[in-house]
Amino acid sequence: MAKKKNATPLSRYDRVKLILNTAQGDQVPDYDGYRRFWELPIDELKEVVIYGIRMIAKPGEDDSDIRPITPPADSGGCCPHSGAMLPPKEEVKEKKDKEDGGSCCGGGSDSGSDDYSAGRGATSGLIIGLRGEFPFNHTQFPPLLWGAESRVSFTDIQFISDWIDDGCHTVDANPNKQKLLDLAAGIIEHQRSEKTENEVRAENGQLMVRKNIEDLTAEELRRYRAAIKKLRSRSELDRRGFDYWGRVHGNSCQHGWEKFFPWHRCLMHGFEQEIQDIDPYATLSYWDWANPMYTMKNGEQTIPVAFQMWLEDADVNALQQAGLAKTDADLIRGKGSNSKSYIGIHFTTLDEFCYKVFWDSKQKNYYDFIGKVAGLKQAFFTILEDRNPLWSPYRYLTKKTYTDPNRYYKNPAIMGTLIDRYHHHYPTQDDMDQILAIDNFTQFGGGNVYNQSFGALDMDPHNTIHIWSGGSNPNYEKGNPLEPSTGYMLNNLTAGFDPIFYGHHANIDRYWAMWQEKHPGLNPDDGNSVLTPFNLLVRDTYNYQKMGYEYVMSPNYFPIGSELQSTRLKTAKLNISSRVKKQYKKAAVRLHNVIQPNQSIIVRVFLNMDHPEKDSHIKHPENFVGGFTVFGHGQCIGSEGHCDPAPRKTRTHDLREQHHNTPSNYNLDATKCIQQLLSKGDDDFHINVLAIGTDGQDLTDMLRMDGVSLDFKQ
Amino acid sequence: MENNSTTKYQIHPGIAVARVGDSPDSFYLAPEGLKKLPIECDAAGNPTKSKNGKLNRVHTFKDSKQRIKRQGARFGIYVTDTENPNGRPIQLDDIIQGVASKGKLVDIEWTVWLANKKSSWYQFKQLEGEHGYAPDHPLRNVIVTDPDERQNMLIIDPGPQTINCTKTRSASFAKGENPDYAQTFPPPLRPNNIDTLGDIRTNDSMELVVLGGHGNSGTYLDAPDQPRIESYANNEGWFDDTSDGPVTAKLIYADERDNQYRYLEVEDPSWVIVGYPRYVPELADIITMDDVLVDVNTREFAANQYLYGVAPFNKSTNIDPNIPNDLEDWRSDPRKEYNEDYYPYFYRDIWPILERPNAMQWVTDVLVSSNLPHDHGPNGTFSPKKIGVPPKTVEDPEQRALFNYMRMFIYRSVRPVDETNKFKFEGRVDGNMTGYPLMPYLSGDNPLSNVVPSKFLTLTETQIFLLKQWAEGKFINEELEMLKGVDIEKPLESIDKGGVENILGGAFCPGAEVGWIIRNPAIYAKPYRVKADPATIPGMANSTAGNTPGVQSSHFENMLSLSDNFAKGLQPGDITKRSALPWQSDFNECTSQDINVTYKEWNLIYPKNIGDEFTERYQEKTTALWWPVHRPMQVYRRNLDSNGNPISGSEDQVNWSRGIPETNEGDFKMVTAWKDMGFVIKEQNIEPEVKFFEQERNYDFDINDQYAGSPPPKKTKK
């Protein structure tokens, strides 16, 4: 996910001028002879007097010598109106202490500019005029701007007022504050976090996501591999080890009845917890084998690239140390007669690699090449597993054709595809849809203990994938542990030793989760039955969310930060892949942990709809995802701190009911909106949110939340 | 009260003017705005509209028999509530929230009471009486001494009339038309008898139209030398049929609980004033009644506390003028002042003052003969392109200095409000101006006697303050600021203004429709509302009458009073009773006035009596006009070809009242000749600029001016 750099952003001063010029339009009145007075040199602007009114108040001066236009205080409330888009000052200070420079827009604490003058904006003629306050309430003048094309919006007026408060700088003294203001007004985009999706979600108390492994970011994949590698480095006796968990599966797994799904859900959870002990933000990811991308044009099946092997230059060096001939190493590097380099090229099996590299040039296959140098095979295995801990040498995905006439002479039957050999294939989406349509758990997930039977998912797609991804070893050598007759995945006993096992079973679990969502309340019979060796009952698995994850094909989370008070917000483009666009089934916008405001707020969510207005959902229904109302908690009735946002989670031993204002999520189905925009020709998406007061007026108490996401599900 | 306090019903305009006419039936509606032609209406008083929905305006002012049509004053009821903060006309079926019940509006009962108290009142002696009459101030018809007789004979009181919008849609203030009321009408009069003060009717929009008298004036004295006129303002034995009085309304609604009709009184009565015809409807007087009321409202009713109030003019010292005690405190607060930071709007506040003098050229020949000193043209001293541009907008410093000078010159030419007897500019501030006559160069409230002389007219204090701000460069030009038409949205107030903008606002000697009484804040309940004596309002003094619609509520305990009591309120006839009797005599004489300006404090000096030959020889006199817009002097008349059709481009400037001398004899002629006078109307598109021509003059060409003859020597009032 590359972060796009914006072009030079407008300074606040530039934006003040832009706001006023835009509202004024082409026609400009005289303004006491100054015309576009906001274009005056800044020193003149600060002093300009129009019909006796200073447009910019003098800093920190109560009695202007020109005209006293401080209106009497006629409104006072517990939750004051000023500083509309800025967080309460206390909170800012706290935040500042914690993370320096994180937020800086609290009035008094903005020490960045020494000529900060609270309330200077509010007493400036320009602001009073724009707001239509006395004497610009027709007592003496009509509101500013005169003869203008449009009124300046509440947010923009506040923006200008803040700019004056901060000293009317032409260069942003504090670009960070500017950025926050822009973010809150939907002027600049919210970017994805530098952190991983799971990291930001988990920090905000949200469920982490198990993604399609194809959609992992490079960073996410790297961290997953690092965790697996760590697990694989531990011995089988270490209960934290990869092989230990492989053994658990081999020894205890439940198939052929209703415990198939619950047991494996626990296994996945337990294994995932081992991962998270190493990296708290790494999760399992799933291999969506029903996806047509894994069936190639010639009918061969394949596995996700993430599980495949490749060599880096350093690996070739290490192999040379282990006995790889220099000529062969040069071939790999592409230095020989065959100029093609195989560094970084992915292969499903080592056999395939050898064939590709050495057959054409040397008429050597795997058997000839690797089997004849002592220790080289083991070195290859070790180096490749080290390079990609998700790869396993004991995985024999059979190819359909080889030009080597002697190939597989020992065992010609293993040639060919699933179709060639069994008249079978990877499950298609259609197959899966039929399975998902099953309306009882017994048929879908297996019979109970009194009437045991395989469930549909268990018996075919699950088993088939096991068998195919395990496969039969074309180089089988009796008695050689490096060349068993079948792959790990093929057998129950060994399946858990191949890392692809977790991709496969995460997908199985995902299908159960999907089926559960489609058929709520249908569960395995014996909820109280213990799932050994896990400390869990069957019924503990009914709700997968309890285990802290959800399945999302392509999650797109944009952190907002609850200190930001927005009236509009806009995210960066998703950079969504064409595959997601083709294969998503559902899309949803979620506003994460919306802080309970005092004032009720009407929120409307759009896609690709910049600067939405009150009527945009009517004018542009195709961009409209949906809307909702945030039910404000009402005016402040307590003492200091009463209106502070409620904590996200209670303490472990806090047995009280959670705070009634605990921030919560708002989910909106965006499927239809995405469909409409795609058919209209949009090829990427960004989220726009508009928040308005329930009285249709601009807001004083604005929308605050931890983040917003647009998630695609398969 | 249980009333929904957010809903308010009010009659607008607060004050309106009807005008007499000798046509028995034909009438039109008041223009309801400054410099506008009257509104055409059908016989029921419904305004007629053109195809595009605009009001039709009247272009002929006389009926088929060359009789002047009457002008009706129209009143409507407007609802102000949260949905209509700016008000809207009331409609049938509106839900009326009564005192303790509510229901749909089914009818409106209008009550009007017109009276003429002129003959029973004090003599008009210039400003004497403005602040109370001296004990020895003479009465009119002083020979009638018995109070009962004065009441019964000298007050024209047809009694109140109530009509509604359903069955009883019209009524007359004529003799014998009010059987339940002890009417008083004068004895038979010559030359014209008075047996009615007018009529009222409701139109199809539930609006009230008030029509006044027919311009009849006469005396009951029948000595051989009668009838005759002896004075411009006071004539024994005389009566005229102008009048004034309150307008009240009740909203009749069907109580939604039992469907019984109940009513709600509309608060704040309006007032109707019947005056003489406005012969030049499209020209504005130098000071209108609205100008006077803006001044009164500003300085006495806290109507614009940003303009006039207590510093620092930031709302902190504002009061709510609707709270009587607060208003009283405010009135007595010595710190009140005009806000030096108030920026008048050029076209709203300044230009109306400055553009009027130049328009006088259509009703007097004085301006042309003095080379049009108020010319608006690009090279004129009053060019808005020069005097309307705020100083900061003028880039060229020389030009800026010139424009500053031009504005200051005009402002310095304006007569200060407390210098009504000052004729010329005497200051040494600007040598160029020394000796220039101060403006307006018009007669004041008393250029006649030595008691409280007030030789010349002055603008109102508020007008002068606004001019000062403008002269100092503190003003806003709406055109330059793209604010034209952008103003405080107060549609109801503009209806109120429209009611009084065509009424003369000075000088008052005694005035046209009204006199100096309108300057007295004591006669108002609030801005644009005359305080009505509750005894003359049906249903207020008498709580039992009028509960049931259809039962006349006009049962009044008291007869109209022979005295004033502003604290209680005004009665029918109390505004017009101070005007000239008959109106025709002062009307005829209010053309121009010789004013002795030798001494500021003296109008009349008698140097000869003491042998002061020097003063006799060198005493200084000038001649000033009164108010040519209300009483035209010279007008343009199109010459006619042999077929009697106007010849384009051929015109004469002629005396408007040609044939009628400005003498008491002429005054008597005017008693009947007012109806033969022509109307002076704007003709557009004849030339690049507008021109005004006289039309509908009777006995001019065809009978060769029955009044023609060698005019006698001109004389001034008295």
Side-chain angles (χ1 to χ4, degrees), chain A residues 27-34 49-52 66-68 70-72 74 134-135 138-142 146-147, chain B residues 304 306 312-316 339 341-345 348 390 392-393 475-477 480-483 486-489:
Chain A
Q27 303 284 320
V28 65
D30 192 54
Y31 289 129
D32 204 8
Y34 294 105
V49 174
I50 290 184
Y51 297 121
I66 299 289
R67 290 180 72 173
T70 322
D74 50 9
F134 172 88
H138 293 278
T139 301
Q140 170 69 78
F141 312 100
W146 298 334
Chain B
N304 187 350
Y306 185 70
F313 302 104
N314 63 359
K315 294 198 298 185
S316 60
N339 178 3
D341 293 317
Y342 187 86
Y343 278 64
Y345 285 83
R348 187 190 70 184
K392 285 199 212 165
T393 304
F475 66 102
I476 301 163
N477 183 313
L480 292 174
E481 298 295 7
M482 297 163 68
L483 297 176
V486 181
D487 200 356
I488 309 162
E489 286 203 357

Side-chain angles (χ1 to χ4, degrees), chain A residues 114-255:
Chain A
D114 43 16
D115 46 1
Y116 174 81
S117 183
R120 182 183 179 191
T123 52
S124 289
L126 176 61
I127 300 303
I128 290 169
L130 289 171
R131 287 184 175 147
E133 292 169 354
F134 172 88
F136 289 88
N137 55 356
H138 293 278
T139 301
Q140 170 69 78
F141 312 100
L144 293 172
L145 302 163
W146 298 334
E149 275 178 11
S150 56
R151 286 285 302 258
V152 178
S153 75
F154 179 89
T155 328
D156 284 346
I157 295 171
Q158 187 60 45
F159 179 88
I160 300 171
S161 180
D162 291 338
W163 173 74
I164 297 171
D165 277 356
D166 291 341
C168 303
H169 293 291
T170 52
V171 179
D172 291 344
N174 194 337
N176 197 21
K177 173 172 181 176
Q178 166 67 40
K179 195 182 154 201
L180 286 176
L181 293 169
D182 282 351
L183 284 168
I187 309 250
I188 62 171
E189 300 166 351
H190 286 276
Q191 300 295 335
R192 290 176 198 257
S193 173
E194 303 281 357
K195 301 171 181 174
T196 64
E197 192 84 32
N198 279 333
E199 212 169 340
V200 281
R201 285 185 189 239
E203 276 174 0
N204 291 328
Q206 301 290 315
L207 294 174
M208 289 197 278
V209 289
R210 289 184 185 170
K211 291 169 76 170
N212 187 328
I213 196 160
E214 300 288 350
D215 290 303
L216 293 183
T217 64
E219 173 64 9
E220 286 167 338
L221 187 55
R222 185 193 67 73
R223 289 168 68 162
Y224 181 55
R225 281 179 172 143
I228 296 291
K229 187 171 182 175
K230 182 88 179 167
L231 292 176
R232 288 184 77 164
S233 72
R234 293 168 179 162
S235 88
E236 193 177 322
L237 298 176
D238 185 341
R239 57 173 296 131
R240 304 169 304 150
F242 183 86
D243 290 349
Y244 173 87
W245 285 90
R247 188 65 65 209
V248 168
H249 179 255
N251 291 345
S252 311
C253 81
Q254 299 292 328
H255 292 98

Side-chain angles (χ1 to χ4, degrees), chain B residues 334 344 385:
Chain B
K385 300 272 176 231

